Amino acid sequence: MKKEQLKKLGRLYATPAMMKKAGQDVPELVNRKHSWRKDMIYAYKYGVYMRCRIQDGILKVSFFLADLMRLGGNKPVYDLFIDKETGEFLTWDAGREKWRTAKLDMLEWPEYVWYSGRYINPEGNRSIKRYLNTEEGGYKGLLNYQQHIREKELRRKYKRETELWDLEMDKVPELPKDWLHWVDKQAIREHFIFYDYSRNGAEEGYCTWCEKTVPVRKPKHNQHGTCRNCGHEIQYKARGKAGTIQTDTERAYLIQRCENGFVIRQFRCWKRFEKGNYEDPEVIAAEERRVLYNRQFNRRAFYWGLYKNDHYRWIEGNGGYYGYYSGCKGKVYKRTLPSLAKDELQRTGLLEMSRCIDRFDPEIYIERWKRYPRHEQFAKAGLGGLLEEPEGIAAKMALESRGNIKDMAKALGIDKARMKRLRENKGGNLYLIWLQKEKALDTLLPDPVIQYFSRNGIMPDELEMMRTRMSYIKICNYLKKQAGISGRRPRGLVGTWEDYICIANRLKIDTRLEINYKPKDLKKAHDDVAALCGGKDIAKRAGEIAEKFPGIDEIHAEIKKKYEYTEKKYSIVVPERIEDIILEGKILGHCLHSSDRYFDRIQRRESYIVFLRKTKELDKPYYTLEIEPDGTARQKRTVGDSQNADFEEAKKFILRWQQAVQERMTEEDLRLAELSGKLRVEEFEELRKEKKKVWRGKLAGKLLADVLEEDLMEARKMAAG
């Protein structure tokens, strides 16, 4: 449509009948629908009035606003022009005096229009329907026509992009005839035996793998077992309880020859059993990804997804939520591989990889092989399991080796016999590490033991503490038993076991005895010893401190007689273990348990930690004292790292305790006390230079050196006083 010609078509004005109808239309208050606003708005019976004319093959529709018409305005605000031959439409915006290509619903209308009706006389309505050849006329018919035109324009625009994709997708061959049957038997791993419940125990059921009635013995609903006919792992399902069942989603891969290369097709597979129809399940294999390779192994990836929020189709890219593909392990259809291995896949080792590994992602394998061509040698040597981890031993060797690895066993740090076992067991990197450990110890471990440790991700180093007490075979059997008792994973139980032994050692339990290092219920034994130490966190922190500052418990035992003192109201108690100090710090809420400096001072005998308790409540924390070897009290803190008014009453008791300590001192104690005093003075001077302050509590803002100095109760000065 030419704009100059459209302007010559003449203007349409509102008719007197339209002006009269608008003048009689009194606006009324209505609720704002589909809006976050809850107030009311004035709306008309007809907010927009329309006139139309067909001239020179062009449909012209003029739009008038009710509020302007009520004020006497008979000129249109918009003129819409449609040419059905070309599928074009244009709108003249009278207010802005410019042409618009927007649809009617995208033009600027007063808000009341959306809450009002649209008016066009019956003759005009029929004219629009005849011209557009639509079932609806008026405003709605015009808008539907515009939307249809826009959709056609978008399809033409999208087609330019999608045509090239479709040409690539046309190269993909048909699915094999046995594809769904293979998916059912090989890709999907969940299988069931459905049986009818009987009080005396069912004797037969329907196996979904055998697809026939098989004998069963005392089955239980949801119990796992093995089919006595085909030998496959199954789960028993009572028909009356099962309902509709859907298996877990599995991945399956189909590799096929296509024009000038091959394609890897990825499927999501599952099986659905409708309630009451378990003998005829639905097998679903939904294709979600295709990767086309040419003979130079250049790739183009496509995924099945929603294109432009319009329709589902094959789209070039990696797909996923953010356009990123991370790989999925799945079963590979092997029947197409032998012919490809003679040509397109000849030097990749992909066929041999599929024989080594039950489930893997062939696309990931190809991409790694392109980076490390020596992957082919590992795959063809039957060592595909070593290629599962990109940072594993095989990947590292493939990267570093410049030529073929002549002695693979030697390169892997094992001998030929162990190499054979690695191949037969389809072992991965962890399996290899266990074989290397076995060789280093010059011993022989049963393959099932290594398989168990490998399958559960347990490294040899993690079992060093246990190996000093028992063999790997016994460790394996013990972990199996404890996993059954606790329901926890074996790898997690290894950490629990190690924690238990460490805590038991802290409690002076003789873990050389089998009854102690191998409890009947490991989790319960762990929780029991942790409770004795105040909890797992306290036991762990105590273990860290004991390792860093050995001998602290022995120092406590040595000074106990010298510093403990009791009167009717108060007592001084020496902690027996590190756990006592940590628990004291947690209960009173000061920094004693979290800082290493106090334990460092204890080990160097610069200062000790003792507890001030009320004699009637010896087990209840009251005040914590840091004392020097002569009884000088450096710090005295209670709840919240503070010192309350009630301490004034206890001061007299502390003076008497200090006098008692003075009488028990040896020459070595005096020497240590003198050294401790010097170190304390130096520390105060350093704190003043650095102007360190207290940052929390009642003393926040004060210089730390001043607070510590005020807190000081020197034993010899007090005694002299």
Side-chain angles (χ1 to χ4, degrees), residues 562 565 655-665:
K562 186 180 299 180
Y565 183 77
L655 290 174
R656 293 192 293 273
W657 166 73
Q658 286 178 330
Q659 289 175 351
V661 169
Q662 291 290 310
E663 295 172 2
R664 302 171 185 173
M665 290 183 64

Side-chain angles (χ1 to χ4, degrees), residues 458-476:
I458 299 172
M459 298 281 286
D461 293 346
E462 295 175 299
L463 301 178
E464 278 302 303
M465 181 182 290
M466 295 72 175
R467 194 177 69 83
T468 59
R469 295 168 171 81
M470 57 201 298
S471 68
Y472 283 123
I473 298 174
K474 288 185 177 180
I475 291 173
C476 177

Side-chain angles (χ1 to χ4, degrees), residues 363-528:
E363 181 188 349
I364 296 295
Y365 175 83
I366 291 290
E367 293 305 312
R368 288 179 186 164
W369 167 80
K370 286 163 65 176
R371 292 179 62 194
Y372 310 126
R374 297 298 169 224
H375 272 43
E376 176 195 2
Q377 188 178 356
F378 283 91
K380 290 185 175 180
L383 302 175
L386 297 179
L387 303 175
E388 286 279 72
E389 300 172 32
E391 304 303 326
I393 297 169
K396 184 178 179 182
M397 289 175 60
L399 180 64
E400 293 175 350
S401 62
R402 296 181 180 178
N404 282 339
I405 303 168
K406 295 180 180 179
D407 192 340
M408 188 75 76
K410 185 177 180 181
L412 293 173
I414 54 178
D415 52 38
K416 291 184 178 180
R418 290 184 172 88
M419 179 76 164
K420 182 181 179 183
R421 290 167 59 198
L422 178 64
R423 185 183 296 113
E424 289 174 348
N425 288 281
K426 300 179 180 179
N429 283 283
L430 191 50
Y431 199 98
L432 174 59
I433 290 170
W434 272 101
L435 289 177
Q436 291 170 341
K437 182 69 174 181
E438 180 189 80
K439 185 174 183 293
L441 295 174
D442 192 21
T443 186
L444 189 65
L445 296 176
D447 287 337
V449 172
I450 298 180
Q451 287 172 350
Y452 182 80
F453 290 145
S454 301
R455 187 168 60 251
N456 290 287
I458 299 172
M459 298 281 286
D461 293 346
E462 295 175 299
L463 301 178
E464 278 302 303
M465 181 182 290
M466 295 72 175
R467 194 177 69 83
T468 59
R469 295 168 171 81
M470 57 201 298
S471 68
Y472 283 123
I473 298 174
K474 288 185 177 180
I475 291 173
C476 177
N477 293 333
Y478 182 68
L479 287 174
K480 285 181 181 178
K481 183 178 180 181
Q482 293 304 315
I485 293 172
S486 64
R488 296 178 61 190
R489 299 190 178 204
R491 181 174 175 79
L493 286 172
V494 171
T496 302
W497 198 1
E498 190 172 346
D499 285 347
Y500 161 75
I501 291 176
C502 290
I503 298 170
N505 287 336
R506 289 285 309 136
L507 295 173
K508 309 299 182 186
I509 297 173
D510 189 357
T511 55
R512 294 171 299 178
L513 300 176
E514 182 175 346
I515 194 173
N516 293 331
Y517 71 71
K518 199 173 76 169
K520 289 184 178 180
D521 188 332
L522 177 59
K523 186 178 182 302
K524 183 178 182 302
H526 170 271
D527 294 344
D528 289 344

